[in-house]
Amino acid sequence: MSDWLDASHRSCLAIPMVWRQVTDSLGEYLRFYIAWKMVEGCMSTVVGNTLPLAKLKQYAGTPELARQSAVALVLSLHDSDDEVRAWAAEVLENMGAPTMDCTAQLAELTRHVIAPVAAWACKLIGRLGEEGTRFQDILAAAVEKHVDVLVKQEAVAALAKLGNLSPSTRDILRRAAIHENPRLKRMALAALAD
Amino acid sequence: MRSIPFYPLLIVLLVGSGSYLGCDPNQLSAPLSVDPAASKTSKPEATNPRDTIPARTPTNILIGSFNLQRLGPSKISDSWVTERFADIIRKFDVIALQEITSKDQRILPALISRVNSLGNKYNFTIGPQVGRASSGYFEQYAFVYDETRILSGPGYCYPVLDEKDILHREPFVGRFQSISPVGNPFQFTLINMHTDPDEINTELDVLADVYRNVRQYEYPNEDDVLLVGDLNAPHDKLRSLNKILDFVPLIRDLPTNVRKSKMLDNILIDRLLTTEFTGRCGTIDLQNMFRIELVDALKISDHLPIWAEFSIIEQPRLNVGVAGQNQNPTLR
């Protein structure tokens, strides 16, 4: 009899205990979710928002619109989705030079820690040709200071397209021309020869 | 420390992740529900014979090239697009593909399954991922061929080594041989290439060296070396490639993009050695082929497939006698 009472008593107590564990778990999950969203929000503020795939496909067919969104396109290269990155690169490859109102932000992005973002920012400035000559110090800084050799390469390639390089920029190119990376070395020599 | 119950948390996670995936518009790409042919009031007519590809016959083979424009999960999940890709591939004996950008290696097999769903026997060889991390993506080349008419395989394909890292995307080379019950089967080598428009001058010049090296590597077993792909340049702006004696682009004065505004893709042959070329080549106008509007054609690709017709058997060279008499239907 006492065993039966004990078992019944335990089962009555067990239901609220399970329920409490469930609500505690949900609470913890929600706290974690809110914290994650805050981190995500901060991250997007730092690195910028990426464009959705549908928008990128639209831009692939409308280079004139894409040129105005060069900054958002470049930032899309840090998206976690491979396909978003591939389509962002597709648009960037085919859109030509960016509009001049994007150039200040692109110049900022040449310092970006994510290599494809910084590399494409350099490449787009290079497409400005002579109009981009005023950004040569920015590109020269990317050659000298960016930690990723792929960004250095694109910055050198961009400088080669600008022309009218200053003596200080040419000095930086001369230093790049003795870099251990063969592609950087070759591109720097080509830029100096132009 | 308080333990966290596993099952309630699992349910919450599953519901949470499920709703996230289900609501992501980028992941969902519904196939077109309306047949574009049925929705059109007037059908575009083929006006230029170079816009249409001849049929495959017992005496010819059709070699092509097609830039698929970012073949990835979203395109392959669109059954309308995949069916159009399959229709295009079935027109060819061998087709060189560019811009397979998916990391998921099930994408091309899925496409080939669709091609073979009508009873065809196509197979493929896919290259390694090529490109630079700084561009934000990598791509793969592939050769797709009809096994009932062409011999090839992974053992007959190789990527070109580029130790100095000059080319953005190293070319992919494949060797092929026609299956012909009569005569000497046509043997040929294809160099599949997608140039980088930002470094076009350098790349085209280096590509001329690649062609010479591949020819030298394949010679004397092979004299028919064809360069195919998205060269991002018109036929008369191919720089060093234009300077190679008798090496000629087949696609001339014909736009190769869907918008009909640019010449990007080409097939180059040695006109004295590759006498198997019948003289017929061109593009496939996607709008004409599928009776669709420009906006729908652009869902397939921004490039048009290009093609050239060849004899299924070896032909005598114009100036250096007859090709070998090997009748063995295995690749040398």
Side-chain angles (χ1 to χ4, degrees):
Chain A
M1 190 68 174
S2 64
D3 286 349
W4 180 84
L5 276 174
D6 284 350
S8 170
H9 184 66
R10 278 200 300 271
S11 65
C12 289
L13 285 175
I15 293 168
M17 274 175 64
V18 169
W19 177 248
R20 190 173 168 183
Q21 282 186 325
V22 168
T23 52
D24 281 354
S25 305
L26 274 171
E28 278 185 26
Y29 173 76
L30 281 172
R31 277 196 293 277
F32 172 76
Y33 181 79
I34 290 164
W36 173 250
K37 280 288 165 191
M38 285 170 70
V39 169
E40 209 174 49
C42 291
M43 284 297 286
S44 74
T45 309
V46 172
V47 294
N49 286 316
T50 65
L51 292 170
L53 192 58
K55 193 75 176 171
L56 292 168
K57 288 187 176 181
Q58 183 200 340
Y59 281 159
T62 52
E64 61 284 355
L65 286 179
R67 281 192 282 273
Q68 296 165 12
S69 304
V71 173
L73 284 165
V74 170
L75 287 171
S76 297
L77 292 163
H78 77 69
D79 197 283
S80 57
D81 184 343
D82 296 334
E83 202 165 25
V84 167
R85 293 200 305 274
W87 276 91
E90 162 78 5
V91 180
L92 288 164
E93 271 179 14
N94 297 305
M95 73 173 202
T99 54
M100 289 306 283
D101 56 328
C102 301
T103 50
Q105 282 174 282
L106 287 174
E108 286 291 315
L109 290 179
T110 60
R111 294 199 300 252
H112 204 284
V113 68
I114 297 170
V117 172
W120 268 105
C122 293
K123 200 179 263 201
L124 291 185
I125 291 173
R127 286 185 190 168
L128 295 170
E130 283 185 14
E131 284 186 71
T133 304
R134 65 192 167 100
F135 295 108
Q136 65 173 287
D137 291 343
I138 302 279
L139 292 173
V143 177
E144 189 115 290
K145 292 176 185 167
H146 205 286
V147 291
D148 197 311
V149 74
L150 294 170
V151 178
K152 291 176 187 284
Q153 291 171 358
E154 296 306 331
V156 167
L159 281 169
K161 291 178 179 173
L162 299 187
N164 297 324
L165 300 179
S166 67
S168 62
T169 303
R170 294 183 73 83
D171 281 345
I172 288 171
L173 285 174
R174 272 189 277 273
R175 286 198 285 278
I178 53 170
H179 196 277
E180 62 188 11
N181 181 276
R183 183 164 183 258
L184 178 60
K185 190 175 174 177
R186 190 177 61 247
M187 293 174 97
L189 287 169
L192 286 165
D194 283 344
Chain B
M1 186 178 162
R2 191 170 55 218
S3 65
I4 300 172
F6 175 71
Y7 288 111
L9 189 64
L10 183 69
I11 291 165
V12 169
L13 283 172
L14 284 173
V15 171
S17 62
S19 62
Y20 172 73
L21 290 173
C23 292
D24 186 352
N26 300 335
Q27 298 292 323
L28 298 174
S29 181
L32 293 180
S33 55
V34 181
D35 178 10
S39 66
K40 281 186 59 64
T41 50
S42 63
K43 293 179 178 178
E45 295 296 324
T47 52
N48 185 343
R50 293 174 73 196
D51 284 355
T52 52
I53 185 169
R56 297 194 290 150
T57 70
T59 59
N60 76 354
I61 65 162
L62 288 160
I63 298 173
S65 172
F66 189 25
N67 180 325
L68 301 168
Q69 195 191 20
R70 282 12 183 200
L71 181 64
S74 71
K75 271 199 174 177
I76 212 74
S77 65
D78 186 332
S79 61
W80 183 84
V81 171
T82 314
E83 197 51 57
R84 299 303 169 282
F85 279 149
D87 287 342
I88 291 163
I89 290 170
R90 287 190 208 106
K91 299 272 181 197
F92 291 93
D93 293 296
V94 185
I95 185 164
L97 303 176
Q98 300 93 38
E99 279 202 27
I100 299 163
T101 51
S102 174
K103 275 187 183 170
D104 184 349
Q105 295 301 301
R106 293 171 299 181
I107 293 280
L108 191 60
L111 176 58
I112 301 308
S113 300
R114 184 64 75 97
V115 175
N116 291 337
S117 63
L118 299 183
N120 304 80
K121 280 191 74 179
Y122 278 85
N123 206 340
F124 68 93
T125 304
I126 191 162
Q129 289 191 317
V130 289
R132 291 196 182 105
S134 58
S135 68
Y137 77 103
F138 292 89
E139 72 172 73
Q140 288 171 284
Y141 300 105
F143 293 112
V144 178
Y145 55 95
D146 182 347
E147 280 189 316
T148 63
R149 287 163 59 88
I150 297 289
L151 292 172
S152 187
Y156 301 104
C157 299
Y158 55 92
V160 170
L161 288 176
D162 178 20
E163 287 168 345
K164 292 181 181 172
D165 191 18
I166 300 173
L167 295 169
H168 187 163
R169 296 173 276 254
E170 299 89 336
F172 189 50
V173 181
R175 295 154 90 195
F176 304 88
Q177 179 179 300
S178 67
I179 299 171
S180 172
V182 290
N184 238 357
F186 176 34
Q187 301 190 34
F188 54 98
T189 297
L190 298 180
I191 306 171
N192 190 356
M193 179 64 183
H194 180 196
T195 60
D196 180 351
D198 275 300
E199 296 177 38
I200 191 66
N201 292 348
T202 308
E203 295 227 331
L204 290 173
D205 289 344
V206 172
L207 204 47
D209 290 335
V210 169
Y211 168 74
R212 288 190 196 95
N213 288 339
V214 170
R215 255 186 73 164
Q216 194 170 8
Y217 179 70
E218 298 290 341
Y219 188 84
N221 290 329
E222 188 51 72
D223 58 353
D224 298 307
V225 178
L226 289 69
L227 175 62
V228 300
D230 176 5
L231 303 181
N232 278 303
H235 72 276
D236 55 347
K237 300 270 182 350
L238 296 173
R239 293 175 60 91
S240 296
L241 289 169
N242 288 129
K243 293 174 187 163
I244 300 175
L245 193 65
D246 299 319
F247 193 50
V248 291
L250 299 182
I251 312 292
R252 290 161 179 267
D253 302 319
L254 194 61
T256 65
N257 64 335
V258 167
R259 291 176 184 277
K260 317 260 174 65
S261 57
K262 294 177 189 168
M263 275 197 68
L264 303 168
D265 309 80
N266 224 315
I267 299 171
L268 288 94
I269 66 166
D270 186 309
R271 65 187 181 92
L272 296 183
L273 299 177
T274 307
T275 50
E276 293 78 10
F277 176 55
T278 64
R280 294 205 288 178
C281 61
T283 59
I284 297 179
D285 186 329
L286 297 179
Q287 286 182 257
N288 277 354
M289 180 178 174
F290 298 118
R291 304 287 191 264
I292 54 177
E293 299 288 354
L294 176 65
V295 66
D296 289 324
L298 286 167
K299 287 176 186 164
I300 302 169
S301 174
D302 59 340
H303 287 251
L304 298 175
I306 58 169
W307 58 270
E309 186 188 44
F310 298 83
S311 161
I312 200 163
I313 55 172
E314 290 274 357
Q315 299 293 314
R317 293 178 186 178
L318 281 184
N319 63 344
V320 284
V322 182
Q325 297 297 312
N326 182 14
Q327 295 282 341
N328 188 348
T330 56
L331 281 163
R332 286 181 296 211

